[in-house]
Amino acid sequence: MAKTSGNQETPTDQREVYHHRGDNLPEPGQHDDEVLAEERVTAYWRANISLLLKLLAVWFTVSFGFGILLVDWLNQVSLFGFKLGFWWAQQGSIYVFVLLIFVYVFLIGKIDRQFGVDDADDDNKPQGKR
Amino acid sequence: MSAQLLTYILVGLTFALYIGIALWTKASSTRDFYVAGAGVHPVANGMATAADWMSAASFISIAGIIAFSGYDSSVYLMGWTGGYVLLALLLAPYLRKFGQFTVPDFIGERYYSKSARVVAVICLIFISFTYVSGQMRGVGVVFSRFLEVEITTGVFIGMAVVFFYAVLGGMKGITYTQVAQFCVLIFAYMVPAIFISLLITGNPAPQLGLGAEVNDGSGLSVLEKLDQVLVDLGFTPYTEANKTTIDMLAITLALMVGTAGLPHVIVRFFTVPKVSDARKSAGYALVFIALLYTTAPAVGAFARLNFIDTVHNTAYEEAPAWVKTWEGIGLIAWLDKNRDGRIQYAAGRAFEGAPAFVEGEGEHGQKLLGNAPTDNANEVYVDRDIMVLANPEIANLPPWVIALVAAGGLAAALSTAAGLLLVISTSISHDLLKKTLRPAISERQELLYARIAAAAAVCMAGYLGINPPGFVAQVVAFAFGLAAASLFPAIFLGIFVRNMNREGAIAGMLCGLMFTFAYIVYFKFINPAANSADNWWLGISPEGIGSIGMLVNFAVAFAVSRFSKEPPPQVKALVDDVRIPSGAGVAYHH
């Protein structure tokens, strides 16, 4: 398979390729190394890290940035009875944290499937006896 | 029906529910006992995690802390929620894929070293015991205030209930009881909050009420009014900082990283079936936690406003009944410095130290104090912990709401205590006995040892609850600082740095640990007089030093690992395996 260095565009047939391989090859998990070509794992990991860095940048900005470093500057603005910096520190940052985790779940799920390493098959088989 | 009878009924019902669940979910294998058979639904695990995480301190204290420190308390709000982002993105999915039972398990296997495992066990036990004694104390306080029994009796009842479901049900029992406890505690938190928000602003959502207009005709919003009232009394405005920026940053980071590194929280993510479930579960957990944590700032602000309104410049004889109730158990005290019979509230301590009541009554019926007065205008001592507990009374809410708050406080304390006791017993039976000292024991024996260890830990926690060491409140900083400086970096490096080796990880953990430990011990115990911003290193308080400890850990780990042998190939293969989500079900049987 071509090296897909973390781009989000998924060739539509890739999932089928994976399921086809899944039927014939030894179980994933026990023989991850054989199932997945080394470079595919590397590319998957790179895509994961790049996603993590983007999300953590947002995490940092809303809490340490808006909530602490820029708080005085933002406090000059008042919205709905809140000074903006204060609102970020005590309310806004928490809402963004919740959103961030679900955005992560959604995007990493897409990346998992793109690289054929998702765990969708894990429930169908009895645990520990595959 | 009286509030007290209602409280008995409600607390009795919830206890019966918890015990019923424990009987229904008895653990039959070590896998059940340690990780609930890894079959918990992500939403259920999210609720259990939320209950596990939100302790007596979250339920009872956080709103009070916010009420009395305003903007400064943002460090707790952001720190204790932002940690879940780190947990979900950096730790939980990979640890679930690893698929063992405990945090020391991961550290021991990843760093191919029994010493690393033992260091992790020591950190874990220290962190967990610090925490658990606070929970048992919380149980005692709620019992003594609402059911009017001795604190000791309250602790015994709490111990008996936890004993029953933690020893019998293990993680399986605890998980489903925690789900029930979450429902009780969040309901108990939201109901009074909504009532008070309606009362003060007419807006039913506390999160919006915080910014809404106070309905006293002043035309000011809650926060504007608070700023104004506090400035008049000589405080800093509610929405402005007392802490320095660098200290705010350091504390927030230490709490976030510490949260992500707390063993009893991490272990909850071992209980779901798959890696993708661990990620989702962290998201649900944060939703449930955010419900309380976004409500708390509103509760805190309302409570402060309400408190000043009802107490300041009120004649003691005309003060509402709750003032006297809480004075009765020593959480409020009044020293009539200017002898006008009125309660004056202002900035500064009313007197030195905690209230030391002396025999007899003052001319207005107040309890007399032996403390030396300070020379400021403030006459009131108020323990911030009463804000949530007294809120229903302050706002004149019906008796069933008071009963509900008591049941909620107990749910919060018991759920956290049980989760902590489980990680303590697991680390003893699994990490110390099975994996280190006596590898020959069978699964049945291991399960028996796990139950014995849980029973012993319950007794130990009860003892600490009844005879609280004077330093409990001061060592909370320890738990987070140590988790931030030791466990989090070790786990993080184990996943993200393939070449990190045993030498680097152990040296990192020990240096991070000792640095943080020494800094906190110095300022909290050896030289508490020097504990002020002028003497702090870089202006960072002991609460925030864990973030520097973490950096020390990282730096040492990288330096040492560069000059020592690479990890063996099977460990690198383990890291590769942990990074791939598929196949978590089998990882356990490797």
Side-chain angles (χ1 to χ4, degrees), chain B residues 367-378:
Chain B
K367 286 173 82 174
L368 287 177
L369 290 154
N371 303 66
T374 49
D375 55 7
N376 59 39
N378 186 23

Side-chain angles (χ1 to χ4, degrees), chain A:
Chain A
M1 188 179 299
K3 222 173 171 180
T4 45
S5 58
N7 53 342
Q8 309 286 325
E9 291 307 314
T10 317
T12 38
D13 58 343
Q14 207 157 336
R15 264 188 70 77
E16 285 147 40
V17 171
Y18 165 66
H19 281 292
H20 178 68
R21 289 162 57 102
D23 291 337
N24 299 321
L25 287 167
E27 304 83 356
Q30 274 178 346
H31 302 286
D32 279 339
D33 304 333
E34 292 140 48
V35 178
L36 302 157
E38 181 92 22
E39 70 257 36
R40 203 145 68 99
V41 177
T42 318
Y44 167 73
W45 191 246
R46 213 178 299 135
N48 179 32
I49 297 286
S50 124
L51 173 63
L52 290 182
L53 288 176
K54 284 175 203 147
L55 295 174
L56 288 176
V58 178
W59 164 82
F60 182 88
T61 308
V62 296
S63 51
F64 297 96
F66 296 166
I68 300 176
L69 292 169
L70 301 176
V71 71
D72 291 330
W73 186 69
L74 287 170
N75 273 347
Q76 295 167 355
V77 182
S78 268
L79 273 182
F80 302 106
F82 291 99
K83 287 184 186 169
L84 203 53
F86 183 85
W87 183 80
W88 274 108
Q90 298 214 336
Q91 298 276 310
S93 56
I94 302 178
Y95 300 134
V96 175
F97 293 155
V98 173
L99 272 179
L100 272 179
I101 299 185
F102 285 103
V103 168
Y104 167 69
V105 169
F106 177 75
L107 292 179
I108 192 72
K110 255 172 70 174
I111 295 177
D112 285 353
R113 287 190 293 278
Q114 181 186 345
F115 288 90
V117 296
D118 61 302
D119 57 4
D121 289 352
D122 280 17
D123 348 80
N124 304 332
K125 296 168 189 170
Q127 282 186 352
K129 294 202 165 185
R130 301 210 281 181

Side-chain angles (χ1 to χ4, degrees), chain B residues 239-510:
Chain B
T239 54
E240 281 171 28
N242 284 312
K243 287 184 162 68
T244 59
T245 303
I246 175 105
D247 199 24
M248 293 275 298
L249 291 172
I251 299 178
T252 307
L253 184 63
L255 294 177
M256 282 183 177
V257 177
T259 299
L262 283 183
H264 70 287
V265 176
I266 292 178
V267 79
R268 289 240 44 100
F269 295 94
F270 289 74
T271 66
V272 292
K274 296 188 295 175
V275 171
S276 54
D277 292 334
R279 297 174 187 147
K280 277 183 224 153
S281 190
Y284 291 123
L286 189 56
V287 169
F288 299 131
I289 291 167
L291 256 178
L292 190 146
Y293 273 67
T294 53
T295 305
V299 174
F302 297 152
R304 186 78 179 273
L305 208 52
N306 231 336
F307 177 79
I308 296 172
D309 253 10
T310 33
V311 167
H312 182 56
N313 259 335
T314 306
Y316 180 83
E317 276 117 338
E318 285 156 25
W322 57 265
V323 172
K324 285 146 199 165
T325 325
W326 290 97
E327 187 187 21
I329 57 175
L331 297 179
I332 287 185
W334 174 54
L335 191 64
D336 194 7
K337 291 181 189 167
N338 58 2
R339 308 207 156 272
D340 65 351
R342 289 176 174 276
I343 305 172
Q344 267 93 23
Y345 180 58
R349 291 159 157 265
F351 43 77
E352 293 304 330
F357 294 105
V358 292
E359 284 294 306
E361 280 192 348
E363 53 181 321
H364 307 283
Q366 81 270 33
K367 286 173 82 174
L368 287 177
L369 290 154
N371 303 66
T374 49
D375 55 7
N376 59 39
N378 186 23
E379 301 182 336
V380 193
Y381 166 91
V382 49
D383 187 304
R384 59 193 184 194
D385 281 357
I386 69 171
M387 277 301 154
V388 164
L389 298 177
N391 238 340
E393 298 164 272
I394 298 180
N396 267 323
L397 299 182
W400 64 269
V401 178
I402 298 171
L404 196 59
V405 169
L410 288 172
L414 291 176
S415 58
T416 306
L420 289 162
L421 292 169
L422 191 90
V423 296
I424 294 171
S425 68
T426 310
S427 68
I428 291 171
S429 66
H430 184 71
D431 291 305
L432 279 187
L433 288 174
K434 175 76 181 173
K435 295 284 178 153
T436 311
L437 299 174
R438 300 181 58 189
I441 55 173
S442 68
E443 182 176 329
R444 271 183 70 111
Q445 283 171 308
E446 191 186 336
L447 186 57
L448 178 67
Y449 282 123
R451 291 203 157 107
I452 294 173
V458 172
C459 297
M460 180 83 181
Y463 176 82
L464 290 173
I466 295 166
N467 305 303
F471 53 83
V472 163
Q474 294 160 346
V475 295
V476 176
F478 259 142
F480 287 94
L482 296 188
S486 62
L487 296 177
F488 178 86
I491 303 171
F492 173 82
L493 293 171
I495 298 162
F496 286 83
V497 181
R498 202 160 167 262
N499 280 339
M500 183 49 63
N501 62 7
R502 172 178 61 197
E503 291 77 8
I506 296 178
M509 274 198 283
L510 289 177

Side-chain angles (χ1 to χ4, degrees), chain B residues 197-260:
Chain B
S197 182
L198 274 172
L199 205 71
I200 294 189
T201 67
N203 192 325
Q207 285 84 349
L208 301 176
L210 180 58
E213 214 172 272
V214 187
N215 51 15
D216 62 353
S218 64
L220 296 171
S221 81
V222 173
L223 292 170
E224 285 163 352
K225 172 116 196 250
L226 253 179
D227 277 352
Q228 196 189 63
V229 170
L230 288 177
V231 171
D232 288 348
L233 294 176
F235 293 91
T236 358
Y238 191 79
T239 54
E240 281 171 28
N242 284 312
K243 287 184 162 68
T244 59
T245 303
I246 175 105
D247 199 24
M248 293 275 298
L249 291 172
I251 299 178
T252 307
L253 184 63
L255 294 177
M256 282 183 177
V257 177
T259 299

Side-chain angles (χ1 to χ4, degrees), chain B residues 15 89 111 139 172 244 271 367 403:
Chain B
F15 277 22
L89 269 53
Y111 296 116
V139 172
K172 209 172 164 196
T244 59
T271 66
K367 286 173 82 174

Side-chain angles (χ1 to χ4, degrees), chain B residues 49-330:
Chain B
T49 309
D52 203 353
W53 170 238
M54 292 190 289
S55 55
S58 290
F59 189 90
I60 298 172
S61 310
I62 185 77
I65 294 175
I66 299 169
F68 289 99
S69 54
Y71 169 76
D72 281 351
S73 64
S74 310
V75 294
Y76 302 107
L77 293 164
M78 290 189 284
W80 287 336
T81 53
Y84 278 82
V85 177
L86 298 179
L87 196 58
L89 269 53
L90 304 179
L91 307 184
Y94 311 105
L95 290 174
R96 174 61 195 92
K97 176 61 193 296
F98 171 69
Q100 289 280 6
F101 294 143
T102 67
V103 171
D105 252 344
F106 178 78
I107 292 177
E109 302 228 344
R110 168 62 182 81
Y111 296 116
Y112 44 101
S113 155
K114 282 187 180 167
S115 330
R117 186 189 288 265
V118 173
V119 171
V121 169
I122 293 170
C123 298
L124 180 149
I125 290 181
F126 189 88
I127 294 168
S128 303
F129 263 121
T130 309
Y131 243 86
V132 82
S133 48
Q135 305 310 315
M136 284 319 215
R137 193 68 189 168
V139 172
V141 169
V142 173
F143 264 103
S144 67
R145 168 61 188 86
F146 291 101
L147 299 172
E148 293 183 10
V149 296
E150 288 284 305
I151 286 194
T152 316
T153 319
V155 172
F156 276 124
I157 299 172
M159 274 169 69
V161 175
V162 172
F163 186 89
F164 198 79
Y165 67 73
V167 174
L168 202 65
M171 188 54 128
K172 209 172 164 196
I174 287 176
T175 302
Y176 294 104
T177 345
Q178 280 174 337
V179 171
Q181 283 161 335
F182 173 76
C183 299
V184 172
L185 87 85
I186 200 70
F187 188 67
Y189 204 82
M190 295 308 290
V191 167
I194 290 170
F195 265 117
I196 295 173
S197 182
L198 274 172
L199 205 71
I200 294 189
T201 67
N203 192 325
Q207 285 84 349
L208 301 176
L210 180 58
E213 214 172 272
V214 187
N215 51 15
D216 62 353
S218 64
L220 296 171
S221 81
V222 173
L223 292 170
E224 285 163 352
K225 172 116 196 250
L226 253 179
D227 277 352
Q228 196 189 63
V229 170
L230 288 177
V231 171
D232 288 348
L233 294 176
F235 293 91
T236 358
Y238 191 79
T239 54
E240 281 171 28
N242 284 312
K243 287 184 162 68
T244 59
T245 303
I246 175 105
D247 199 24
M248 293 275 298
L249 291 172
I251 299 178
T252 307
L253 184 63
L255 294 177
M256 282 183 177
V257 177
T259 299
L262 283 183
H264 70 287
V265 176
I266 292 178
V267 79
R268 289 240 44 100
F269 295 94
F270 289 74
T271 66
V272 292
K274 296 188 295 175
V275 171
S276 54
D277 292 334
R279 297 174 187 147
K280 277 183 224 153
S281 190
Y284 291 123
L286 189 56
V287 169
F288 299 131
I289 291 167
L291 256 178
L292 190 146
Y293 273 67
T294 53
T295 305
V299 174
F302 297 152
R304 186 78 179 273
L305 208 52
N306 231 336
F307 177 79
I308 296 172
D309 253 10
T310 33
V311 167
H312 182 56
N313 259 335
T314 306
Y316 180 83
E317 276 117 338
E318 285 156 25
W322 57 265
V323 172
K324 285 146 199 165
T325 325
W326 290 97
E327 187 187 21
I329 57 175

